[in-house]
Amino acid sequence: MAIEEKNAQGGIHGRKIELLIRDDENSPEVAGKRVHELAALGVEAIIGPNVSSIAGGMLPAIVETSIVTISPTVSSLFFVGKDDPFFRMNSSTRQNAGAYAANHYAKGGRRVSAAFGIQNRLFTESWLKEFQTAFEALGGAVVATAPYDAKGADGYAAVVAPLLAVNPDAILLVSNGVDTAQIAQQFRKAGSNIKLIAAEWAASEQLIELGGKAVEGVTILQTYDRDSVVPAYTQFRDTYIGQFTNRPGYSSIASYDAAMVLFAALERSYAEKGLSLKEAIFAVVPVKGLQQDLTFDRFGDGARKKFFVTVKNGTFVGE
Amino acid sequence: MIFRRERRLRTSLIFLLASTTLVTLAIVGTGILVVRLPQIVTANQTLVDRAAEETASRIEVFLKGLEERVALVAQTAYDVPDARVGSMLDAARGDAFEALYLVNKVGTVVAISVGNVSAKRSREMVGIDLSNSKLVRAVAEKKNVVWSDKFLSAVTGIVTIGVAIPIERFGGVVIAELPLATLLKISHIARGAEGLEFWIIDGHGEVVADTGLPSASGFNLRNNPVVKAGLAQNPVAERMTFKSREYQSAASFSRALGWLFVSRIPAGLENRRIRETVGLILIAFIASPLIGLILAPFWARGMTEALAPVIQRARMIASGAPPGAWPRGNVVEFNQLTSDLEAMSKSLQQRQLELRDLNEGLEARVEQRTQDLAIANDELTETLSTLNRAQGELVHSEKMAALGRLVAGVAHELNTPIGIGRMAVSTMRDAVFQLEKRMKTGLRKSDLTNTIEHLLSGSDMAEKNMIRAADLISSFKQVAVDRTTSNRRRFQLLEIVDEIILTLTPIIKQKSIRVDREIPKDIILESYPGDLGQVLTNLIDNAIKHGFDKRDNGVIRISAAPLSKNVIRLTISDDGHGMTKGVIDKIFDPFFTTKRGCGGTGLGMHVTYNAVVSILGGAITVSSTPDEGSVFQIDLPLIGPNRNIA
Ligand SMILES: Nc1ncnc2c1ncn2[C@@H]1O[C@H](COP(=O)(O)OP(=O)(O)OP(=O)(O)O)[C@@H](O)[C@H]1O
Ligand SMILES: [Mg+2]
């Protein structure tokens, strides 16, 4: 969408932007290969990936080909503080998990059990570790953790029961929206009414659609304000709905923001000879995003605003 | 200037063949393209139209079958004992569905059969809440069979499509989920023609299946004009652009499914049939001149071989050798050329013979003429020498005439003193007779003194005139000697000039002509006074005769001045009629005169010129202005050249 808009405005210095889409097939190895393929095609920049494990697979190729890559969503600490052509729009796991810990502690939470998905383990484990560190620093405790495999043969029962057994005041779910919805269903099915907290990764419409009543009351962090009335955002949202019929999720917003940063940088690097795209990015930030100013520290790590929401009657409602 | 490139026959033939085939092919090829391409386009359009319809109905039929199966479950589900519901669902699911489950009216899963999932997991799925599922909601709303758009399955976690059928009696729903791959498979069957691809697009414009892509990772085509129109159930355009490629396309909307079936086939050169047609023409275009190129040399060889003997004969004729027998081939034009050449060669030979004869005759005639010319030449030479002789004689007679004039002048000059002398003597004789008479009658002393007085004056006068006559004679004698001997001697220029003027007195006196001379006494020459006199005579004579023609008066001026140590300039000018340029140019030519028939011979100036140049060793120039007079300048060396008297 961002590219269509930009090209409609005449592209960058008269050059149209061409979008090449490559499927990482949800495999880190494939993703790494794709980077090399794109490099061979002469692409100037990559937007993506959305998942930390895939980013891990791409990073060596990115460093090798030095193609500037902007991930709208990746937040794993693994990528934080590295001087490479890999830029992240999102806050780091540490920042987000820290915010979660503070939020829950402030509500009186002290004992937390956690379930984490093993599909994107690099992310989920590190996230949980960050949460634990922050939460324990505050005085809370993570009393039990359990990995679960959404595609595995074992049922969720093996996860649900032990986590509930240690008498926590909340269950922390660290996985994507679909998995979070499914495991939430299992907690409710087990008859528990316990407070559920979902890591920001799950903050999608799918969580509500698939979670149904099971996800009612789930607290989750969003990196954008659903109810924002900033014109840039509302206009984007309406166009998005017009095109895709549903509301833009946080990855769509972040992707759009990433494209904004990239275009500004490309424009600058075309205008200024000898300026690499990476240097151009540092030169153009902060760039106005849909809801916030977009900027990076010297390692190319960004940060998003944080909004805690709760699911109420099938929608996210700000706290 | 136009340069014409010369080419060999062979090259020309190759050109001819190649260009003929190319032009033919260009016309035929264009014709084929013009006729064939639209046909292909129409055929392709029919193909995509039919394919869209067919796929739509095929999938509709297929899905209707599945739907009936699910409907059966919906009808019977609540009649089956709870314990057996699970196995019934399993049976109904078979391989056709990914998942088949019952949802009660509050949205909770009450029974389920899921493929590829452990029994434990599938059991866990019972009891989960699906009240927010779009499909469940849609059925609740419509109370009718609903085919879903693409959606994320709550039970399998993958993207899928499904059918939901309400269970009227209990308000629940039976949902069957279908793997996208199934649709893809069916669409693939319908593909057939190369390049024909399908999209199955749900009501949101999401691509449910794309035969053009290996994996069914979907994308949204809501904004594609064909899809947009198709979903709105409007007629769709026959052309579309997708990923910057052109396609011919057709769409068929399935009301039952709420889906759009779009078929597309590459348009233009991307299309195989068009490409093949164009390719074939291109191949023909390239191949036929090539074939022409290969064949042409053989043809050309045949032609040149037929021509070669003719050319050889022509060369022989050119070099003069007899050409021998003329060959005949099987090309009419060549044979014609050959016989023409033959005829030409024959007539050439004949003409050559004629020419030779003519040539020989000519030689004889030339010799004859040469002889005639030689004779004429001899005659002319003789005439010329005769003429030369005549000229010499004329020149001589001119000199004689001058001498004659001289004698006349002398006679005239002598006449006066001698006449006076005679008169004086006769006066004296009369005085003596008077005295004799007185002596008879009485001589008085006064008579005697009178007589003596008469005698004294008479003898005095006689003496003076005798002396004058003697002087004249001696000076004439000198002139005459000079004229006739031509010896070099020293003389005073002034003296010679005076003598000449004297000799010319008779003609000068005829008119009142003044002769002014301005000659320093000290100019002494050692040269040929006779010839110089002749020159002066001629110039003065001309001045009077021509310059003062029909005039009674005039001035002739004779002056001299040293020009350098050894050269003096003598200038003779008159204020007479002068001459035109035409006269001046010819003045020294022998026999040139403007007075022919009136006493002029035209030799005067010629003689003058010769005398000045070859005898006196000087130079003479003339300048004149008509009506103002003429000026002759004579530059003379003080010492004249030695002269070999022949
Ligand atoms: N002083 C002059 N003034 C005008 N015309 C002259 C004079 N001297 C010569 N000519 C022209 O030059 C011509 C040639 O002179 P040239 O003395 O050779 O021949 P000519 O006087 O005609 O004949 P002749 O043989 O009796 O001298 C003359 O016929 C006359 O026309
Ligand atoms: Mg004369």
Side-chain angles (χ1 to χ4, degrees):
Chain A
M1 219 168 98
I3 288 170
E4 274 168 26
E5 279 170 19
K6 194 75 192 177
N7 283 342
Q9 290 163 19
I12 296 175
H13 289 283
R15 291 171 61 171
K16 293 269 191 269
I17 305 153
E18 195 191 347
L19 178 63
L20 305 174
I21 301 172
R22 290 293 178 274
D23 188 358
D24 57 35
E25 294 171 25
N26 219 349
S27 148
E29 293 82 51
V30 172
K33 252 188 274 170
R34 295 281 180 264
V35 174
H36 283 294
E37 286 170 19
L38 288 171
L41 290 171
V43 302
E44 283 180 272
I46 299 174
I47 291 185
N50 278 359
V51 184
S52 296
S53 60
I54 300 297
M58 283 167 68
L59 193 61
I62 291 169
V63 172
E64 197 178 309
T65 58
S66 66
I67 292 184
V68 167
T69 303
I70 306 178
S71 166
T73 53
V74 162
S75 59
S76 168
L77 266 184
F78 177 77
F79 304 101
V80 173
K82 285 186 176 158
D83 186 13
D84 51 30
F86 186 65
F87 287 80
R88 297 182 316 100
M89 305 289 297
N90 211 346
S91 305
S92 71
T93 327
R94 177 166 298 161
Q95 293 166 323
N96 287 341
Y100 269 96
N103 181 271
H104 187 57
Y105 192 85
K107 288 178 190 159
R110 295 294 179 267
R111 295 171 60 81
V112 171
S113 285
F116 59 97
I118 62 160
Q119 245 75 44
N120 191 13
R121 202 167 188 146
L122 192 63
F123 170 77
T124 55
E125 249 176 355
S126 112
W127 197 98
L128 185 56
K129 214 175 91 213
E130 293 303 323
F131 176 84
Q132 191 167 0
T133 314
F135 196 53
E136 279 169 4
L138 287 169
V142 176
V143 289
T145 62
Y148 68 89
D149 183 0
K151 293 193 172 82
D154 303 333
Y156 289 109
V159 180
V160 172
L163 289 184
L164 286 172
V166 292
N167 197 23
D169 48 39
I171 304 286
L172 184 60
L173 304 173
V174 190
S175 62
N176 65 27
V178 178
D179 292 352
T180 302
Q182 288 192 343
I183 198 160
Q185 294 269 18
Q186 295 307 317
F187 275 102
R188 296 302 177 229
K189 196 181 156 193
S192 167
N193 245 346
I194 191 154
K195 165 104 191 137
L196 294 176
I197 303 168
E200 73 275 8
W201 187 23
S204 65
E205 302 298 322
Q206 289 154 359
L207 176 71
I208 292 171
E209 200 186 315
L210 303 187
K213 291 194 186 78
V215 295
E216 281 290 305
V218 167
T219 294
I220 196 160
L221 178 84
Q222 288 196 326
T223 51
Y224 69 101
D225 180 4
R226 282 174 56 88
D227 308 317
S228 168
V229 288
V230 176
Y233 168 73
T234 53
Q235 199 187 325
F236 165 79
R237 183 194 59 199
D238 296 342
T239 317
Y240 188 96
I241 291 171
Q243 204 163 335
F244 303 108
T245 61
N246 40 30
R247 290 176 68 104
Y250 92 103
S251 72
S252 306
I253 291 170
S255 297
Y256 190 90
D257 281 349
M260 291 298 107
V261 172
L262 180 61
F263 296 162
L266 281 172
E267 216 150 293
R268 174 67 71 89
S269 76
Y270 290 160
E272 223 172 290
K273 276 230 170 327
L275 197 70
S276 75
L277 188 54
K278 185 178 166 183
E279 288 162 348
I281 291 179
F282 286 117
V284 293
V285 292
V287 172
K288 265 237 157 319
L290 289 174
Q291 290 191 354
Q292 65 171 93
D293 282 347
L294 312 166
T295 189
F296 298 101
D297 66 12
R298 67 190 179 88
F299 297 111
D301 297 322
R304 309 257 356 162
K305 285 187 183 167
K306 297 172 189 65
F307 305 90
F308 278 99
V309 294
T310 310
V311 180
K312 268 197 191 111
N313 298 325
T315 50
F316 294 106
V317 178
E319 281 190 347
Chain B
M1 188 166 181
I2 299 163
F3 283 96
R4 226 164 229 246
R5 276 270 301 276
E6 269 199 0
R7 286 201 207 98
R8 292 195 151 272
L9 177 63
R10 172 198 291 243
T11 324
S12 303
L13 280 173
I14 292 172
F15 268 130
L16 181 78
L17 257 161
S19 55
T20 311
T21 42
L22 277 181
V23 170
T24 314
L25 264 169
I27 294 164
V28 174
T30 317
I32 291 175
L33 286 182
V34 166
V35 175
R36 189 73 191 114
L37 291 188
Q39 280 178 352
I40 295 178
V41 170
T42 317
N44 280 344
Q45 195 56 46
T46 323
L47 191 75
V48 285
D49 283 346
R50 197 140 13 104
E53 296 278 341
E54 227 168 72
T55 320
S57 65
R58 195 189 293 260
I59 288 187
E60 230 173 72
V61 166
F62 173 74
L63 292 183
K64 266 275 177 277
L66 292 182
E67 191 185 304
E68 271 159 24
R69 207 146 124 187
V70 179
L72 209 67
V73 173
Q75 275 169 23
T76 54
Y78 281 86
D79 299 333
V80 173
D82 281 0
R84 286 192 46 212
V85 170
S87 54
M88 183 199 78
L89 286 180
D90 281 338
R93 184 171 62 82
D95 285 335
F97 300 113
E98 192 85 356
L100 182 64
Y101 48 98
L102 256 79
V103 178
N104 67 16
K105 68 170 172 245
V106 292
T108 309
V109 175
V110 291
I112 189 162
S113 165
V114 192
N116 301 325
V117 162
S118 67
K120 226 181 206 176
R121 280 301 278 280
S122 77
R123 232 178 291 120
E124 277 182 354
M125 284 176 199
V126 175
I128 66 172
D129 177 60
L130 289 182
S131 54
N132 272 347
S133 155
K134 275 186 189 149
L135 201 50
V136 172
R137 286 188 164 187
V139 173
E141 217 170 87
K142 278 196 177 175
K143 306 201 186 308
N144 205 339
V145 178
V146 172
W147 276 95
S148 77
D149 285 340
K150 211 163 77 170
F151 73 106
L152 192 70
S153 165
V155 292
T156 61
I158 59 168
V159 176
T160 181
I161 48 165
V163 60
I165 299 180
I167 306 169
E168 275 152 46
R169 280 182 289 168
F170 302 96
V173 187
V174 179
I175 294 176
E177 291 180 5
L178 198 67
L180 293 181
T182 311
L183 293 180
L184 205 56
K185 236 182 279 168
I186 299 167
S187 321
H188 269 296
I189 296 167
R191 262 212 296 184
E194 194 194 316
L196 185 65
E197 300 291 357
F198 295 99
W199 283 321
I200 301 173
I201 293 162
D202 74 14
H204 283 98
E206 284 283 323
V207 174
V208 176
D210 178 2
T211 56
L213 275 184
S215 68
S217 69
F219 43 94
N220 199 292
L221 283 177
R222 267 176 80 82
N223 291 324
N224 179 301
V226 168
V227 175
K228 202 179 246 172
L231 283 178
Q233 300 178 44
N234 291 328
V236 302
E238 294 189 343
R239 285 271 175 155
M240 72 170 184
T241 312
F242 177 63
K243 288 192 174 168
S244 56
R245 289 174 79 176
E246 282 285 320
Y247 292 93
Q248 282 184 272
S249 55
S252 169
F253 185 78
S254 161
R255 247 174 243 277
L257 302 172
W259 293 351
L260 187 69
F261 295 82
V262 178
S263 58
R264 64 188 199 275
I265 193 163
L269 277 183
E270 304 252 14
N271 185 274
R272 190 178 57 84
R273 284 169 73 183
I274 293 180
R275 204 170 46 232
E276 273 174 10
T277 311
V278 174
L280 266 173
I281 290 169
L282 268 181
I283 289 169
F285 213 76
I286 294 162
S288 40
L290 278 180
I291 294 169
L293 279 179
I294 294 164
L295 288 182
F298 294 106
W299 264 100
R301 177 128 45 96
M303 291 278 160
T304 40
E305 261 169 16
L307 263 182
V310 180
I311 293 171
Q312 199 193 338
R313 295 299 183 290
R315 287 232 178 100
M316 284 162 87
I317 297 170
S319 64
W326 288 85
R328 289 288 190 280
N330 51 6
V331 180
V332 178
E333 282 82 357
F334 287 176
N335 286 343
Q336 220 152 34
L337 177 68
T338 313
S339 34
D340 285 353
L341 275 172
E342 194 174 2
M344 199 171 90
S345 122
K346 274 183 187 147
S347 75
L348 259 176
Q349 261 175 318
Q350 194 166 334
R351 217 161 288 168
Q352 209 165 6
L353 282 173
E354 281 171 20
L355 269 174
R356 202 190 300 155
D357 288 352
L358 217 63
N359 209 24
E360 276 164 8
L362 197 65
E363 261 165 36
R365 261 155 61 194
V366 165
E367 205 161 308
Q368 182 66 42
R369 285 278 161 81
T370 316
Q371 265 171 19
D372 291 355
L373 275 174
I375 290 166
N377 197 32
D378 286 353
E379 281 169 0
L380 272 175
T381 318
E382 218 174 272
T383 312
L384 196 65
S385 64
T386 312
L387 272 174
N388 277 338
R389 240 186 348 264
Q391 188 182 346
E393 278 162 14
L394 273 171
V395 169
H396 185 69
S397 72
E398 162 78 10
K399 282 185 180 168
M400 285 301 124
L403 216 55
R405 277 199 297 276
L406 185 71
V407 171
V410 169
H412 181 269
E413 228 24 45
L414 281 177
N415 209 23
T416 313
I418 288 173
I420 294 169
R422 234 175 75 187
M423 197 188 70
V425 170
S426 75
T427 307
M428 281 193 297
R429 196 181 58 205
D430 284 351
V432 173
F433 274 130
Q434 284 290 320
L435 191 62
E436 191 180 41
K437 244 194 260 173
R438 290 288 175 215
M439 275 182 348
K440 283 170 188 167
T441 63
L443 192 69
R444 285 187 320 245
K445 195 189 173 203
S446 65
D447 290 334
L448 202 59
T449 42
N450 257 350
T451 305
I452 289 167
E453 223 172 275
H454 270 109
L455 285 177
L456 277 175
S457 73
S459 59
D460 191 41
M461 193 187 283
E463 189 189 17
K464 272 183 186 159
N465 277 289
M466 287 305 151
I467 292 167
R468 167 96 177 120
D471 280 355
L472 276 171
I473 285 165
S474 72
S475 77
F476 286 146
K477 194 175 149 200
Q478 184 60 53
V479 171
V481 168
D482 286 345
R483 285 287 166 85
T484 44
T485 58
S486 295
N487 282 336
R488 190 169 69 172
R489 68 176 178 91
R490 274 174 78 83
F491 59 90
Q492 195 189 13
L493 179 63
L494 180 61
E495 198 182 315
I496 290 295
V497 171
D498 279 345
E499 275 174 9
I500 295 302
I501 291 170
L502 192 63
T503 62
L504 290 172
T505 316
I507 54 166
I508 292 169
K509 291 275 175 64
Q510 274 173 16
K511 301 177 178 182
S512 50
I513 288 164
R514 205 175 79 226
V515 179
D516 288 349
R517 54 169 176 68
E518 213 175 292
I519 297 167
K521 276 201 174 86
D522 57 350
I523 295 180
I524 307 291
L525 298 160
E526 183 165 344
S527 192
Y528 303 94
D531 292 281
L532 182 58
Q534 174 86 61
V535 166
L536 285 168
T537 306
N538 284 349
L539 289 177
I540 294 166
D541 182 48
N542 276 352
I544 295 165
K545 206 158 83 186
H546 305 296
F548 305 140
D549 187 25
K550 293 168 191 148
R551 263 174 66 170
D552 281 339
N553 56 348
V555 179
I556 296 169
R557 188 167 285 115
I558 303 169
S559 64
L563 199 64
S564 71
K565 224 176 99 193
N566 300 318
V567 183
I568 58 140
R569 172 164 291 176
L570 187 60
T571 308
I572 296 97
S573 59
D574 65 70
D575 57 352
H577 297 305
M579 292 168 273
T580 59
K581 182 151 186 323
V583 174
I584 292 172
D585 285 347
K586 293 183 188 150
I587 194 166
F588 297 119
D589 292 352
F591 307 114
F592 172 74
T593 177
T594 53
K595 287 254 181 339
R596 189 168 310 283
C598 306
T601 63
L603 281 170
M605 288 308 291
H606 177 66
V607 169
T608 301
Y609 182 86
N610 280 341
V612 170
V613 175
S614 45
I615 297 172
L616 300 172
I620 177 164
T621 58
V622 56
S623 59
S624 176
T625 314
D627 297 332
E628 281 181 20
S630 312
V631 180
F632 295 85
Q633 281 185 340
I634 302 169
D635 294 346
L636 290 175
L638 288 178
I639 296 169
N642 272 324
R643 184 158 129 191
N644 301 322
I645 303 154

